[in-house]
Amino acid sequence: MALFWGYFSRFSSIASSLIIMPFALVAFTEAEFSLWMVFVAFYALIVVFDFGLSSTFSRQINYVLCGAQSLNKVGVCEQVDKSSINYLLFSKIINSAKFVFFFIAIITVAILGAAYFFFLNPIAAKSGLDISLEWLLYSLAIIINIFCLLYNALFFGTNNVASIYKVTSFSNLTFFAFAITLILYDYTLMAVAIARLLSAVTYYLSANYEINKLKMLHGYVKTHWQDTKATLGVLLPNAGRIGVVSLGNFMLTKLSILIVAYYFTASESASYSLALNLFTILSSVSLLYMTVVTPILNRAIQNTDFSLVKKLQFKVRLVCLITCLLGCVSVLVIVPELLKLIDSKTSLPSVYVLVFFSLMVFLDVNRQLSMNLIAATNHIPFYKAIVFSGSVSLLVIIAVLELGYLSLLTPVIVSLCVQTLFNNWYWTLMERNILAKKGM
């Protein structure tokens, strides 16, 4: 059931992006489409602002519900009592998560406000557009979703994976229905903003309903601030490392949209953004099976069931990489014909750009599979390398563009080369070493 809802959730997410996209490509001007892609780039900040916390909290909840009696900064707790769940420890994790995500939501308000005044408004002004109300509604949706990261941690941590995907599906379908309806009434960017806000509200209400129905907070009690502070002291170091990884991934992908929007014409920016959005969706779909299996992987590692870990990781890699390969072929062969069929105002970049995009995404999916297994052991050694490579990529891209090499191949080739120098092979090698050491 979890796998069904997982794929349906991802399908509805694709529907809310890809099926809306043809309507947007026909109804939006190139300037509006480019701005929409910039909106999407900022929406991806939800993952960055999560800063690795939801996955850290969910993993620790997993451990506690498997009988762990204490929290470790690194590694897995060896003090395990499967017959007695430590609900006080469970409550400390939940209360820590509540505090952190509320705090992040407040900070996000200031960041999104600054983004509008110093970046979005000047870009919109070049095309004679006023997007103040659209950005306000879209920002509210982002803030609600950031607070709801708490629910992600709870659902995955309690192994209610099917429920979280069900909630996500309802949210995606809400966005899909309202966005298309409003686009047909010529609301363009306002349609996306309203639909995204209604989608966030749907997620919030549905998640609360599922939590109460399934009694996920059974055994939960309020704890003191000192307990929250001590718990965060244990969990934040690793969460921060995962957060740095999210930041590095954001720098490698979504920030390139902002750079392209600055250096290139609205038409070229829209073309690049369309391609990046398609490959981002493809990456997400490819890694879905990994996301569904991760709670099982966490429990297998906690229970030192090493043979199961090896079987799971092999199956996950096989499914994810085959999915990615088929998706890349589809983008290269089928999508360009579909764009011609609907008479899209925005086209994909050249086939050379798409081929390099495909290679970059395929290697990225493989790297994320390796890092997911490493993270499941509660060790995050890759955070420095990811953020360093992200920073180097941005600086090199900007430098090359400033030198006059204004080609859409530039950001793709630079990112691919920087990642391949180290990250695309090293963490897969470390994964194999971990499996060999554990006798897996």
Side-chain angles (χ1 to χ4, degrees):
M1 185 58 71
L3 195 57
F4 166 77
W5 279 112
Y7 279 107
F8 185 79
S9 165
R10 191 49 55 198
F11 169 78
S12 62
S13 178
I14 294 171
S16 67
S17 298
L18 291 184
I19 297 180
I20 288 172
M21 198 169 288
F23 292 91
L25 288 167
V26 172
F28 289 18
T29 64
E30 288 182 330
E32 287 173 329
F33 186 83
S34 180
L35 279 168
W36 178 33
M37 290 297 100
V38 173
F39 275 35
V40 171
F42 275 100
Y43 194 76
L45 281 174
I46 293 170
V47 178
V48 178
F49 291 163
D50 169 35
F51 222 67
L53 289 161
S54 61
S55 61
T56 298
F57 286 128
S58 68
R59 187 164 58 252
Q60 296 299 332
I61 292 171
N62 261 162
Y63 293 159
V64 170
L65 295 181
C66 283
Q69 299 299 308
S70 63
L71 303 177
N72 290 4
K73 286 187 178 182
V74 294
V76 178
C77 174
E78 296 180 359
Q79 185 185 352
V80 177
D81 183 359
K82 295 181 181 179
S83 63
S84 177
I85 296 174
N86 190 334
Y87 283 110
L88 178 60
L89 192 57
F90 170 77
S91 302
K92 290 177 181 179
I93 297 171
I94 297 298
N95 288 330
S96 299
K98 284 183 178 179
F99 170 79
V100 167
F101 289 124
F102 181 74
F103 180 73
I104 293 173
I106 292 174
I107 294 176
T108 304
V109 174
I111 293 174
L112 294 177
Y116 171 75
F117 286 109
F118 296 108
F119 183 78
L120 277 167
N121 192 41
I123 289 179
K126 290 179 184 177
S127 303
L129 297 173
D130 179 8
I131 59 168
S132 55
L133 183 55
E134 289 90 336
W135 183 244
L136 175 62
L137 298 178
Y138 206 84
S139 296
L140 286 173
I142 292 174
I143 292 164
I144 292 171
N145 276 291
I146 284 176
F147 182 76
C148 287
L149 290 170
L150 164 66
Y151 302 144
N152 289 3
L154 183 59
F155 276 95
F156 280 105
T158 56
N159 203 30
N160 285 294
V161 179
S163 294
I164 187 63
Y165 283 132
K166 190 191 304 182
V167 168
T168 304
S169 298
F170 293 152
S171 175
N172 290 336
L173 291 173
T174 300
F175 176 73
F176 169 72
F178 280 96
I180 286 185
T181 302
L182 292 172
I183 287 173
L184 290 174
Y185 281 94
D186 295 324
Y187 279 90
T188 61
L189 283 175
M190 181 60 76
V192 176
I194 292 173
R196 188 55 77 189
L197 179 58
L198 292 174
S199 170
V201 172
T202 299
Y203 187 100
Y204 175 82
L205 295 175
S206 300
N208 275 282
Y209 172 78
E210 288 289 319
I211 289 168
N212 291 327
K213 183 181 78 170
L214 298 174
K215 299 180 180 178
M216 292 184 210
L217 291 174
H218 170 72
Y220 166 78
V221 294
K222 288 189 176 181
T223 57
H224 300 293
W225 161 243
Q226 288 301 118
D227 294 320
T228 299
K229 191 175 176 182
T231 302
L232 289 175
V234 175
L235 301 185
L236 285 183
N238 262 357
R241 293 184 181 101
I242 296 175
V244 169
V245 173
S246 299
L247 177 61
N249 287 331
F250 179 80
M251 293 166 72
L252 284 165
T253 54
K254 296 300 183 181
L255 271 186
S256 64
I257 288 181
L258 309 186
I259 294 173
V260 169
Y262 181 81
Y263 280 95
F264 291 84
T265 64
S267 175
E268 291 170 318
S269 175
S271 179
Y272 178 88
S273 300
L274 173 60
L276 182 59
N277 193 44
L278 289 173
F279 280 105
T280 300
I281 292 169
L282 171 58
S283 176
S284 179
V285 172
S286 301
L287 291 168
L288 175 62
Y289 187 67
M290 180 196 78
T291 306
V292 172
V293 171
T294 294
I296 304 172
L297 188 68
N298 289 337
R299 289 200 302 276
I301 289 175
Q302 173 65 48
N303 294 330
T304 63
D305 189 349
F306 301 139
S307 62
L308 177 59
V309 171
K310 184 176 181 179
K311 290 176 184 176
L312 287 173
Q313 185 68 359
F314 175 79
K315 189 176 180 181
V316 165
R317 174 166 269 108
L318 184 65
V319 171
C320 293
L321 291 182
I322 289 176
T323 303
C324 183
L325 185 61
L326 293 174
C328 289
V329 172
S330 298
V331 174
L332 286 167
V333 177
I334 300 174
V335 174
E337 297 304 316
L338 292 176
L339 293 177
K340 291 177 185 177
L341 188 64
I342 65 171
D343 195 24
S344 168
K345 294 177 183 176
T346 301
S347 60
L348 284 170
S350 71
V351 67
Y352 301 107
V353 176
L354 296 179
V355 167
F356 278 105
F357 256 127
S358 298
L359 181 58
M360 182 175 71
V361 168
F362 186 82
L363 293 174
D364 181 72
V365 167
N366 184 68
R367 171 175 58 83
Q368 292 197 56
L369 293 171
S370 297
M371 293 194 304
N372 184 66
L373 178 71
I374 295 168
T377 65
N378 206 27
H379 292 84
I380 317 294
F382 41 78
Y383 69 103
K384 291 180 182 178
I386 296 298
V387 77
F388 178 76
S389 60
S391 303
V392 170
S393 292
L394 284 181
L395 292 174
V396 174
I397 289 170
I398 293 171
V400 173
L401 293 175
E402 283 290 334
L403 290 172
Y405 294 95
L406 295 176
S407 167
L408 293 181
L409 273 171
T410 298
V412 185
I413 291 178
V414 169
S415 298
L416 177 60
C417 289
V418 171
Q419 287 290 75
T420 303
L421 284 173
F422 184 75
N423 290 317
N424 282 341
W425 62 270
Y426 183 80
W427 304 114
T428 301
L429 181 62
M430 176 173 281
E431 172 203 343
R432 291 185 179 182
N433 290 338
I434 289 173
L435 295 175
K437 267 186 197 175
K438 297 288 186 181
M440 298 181 192

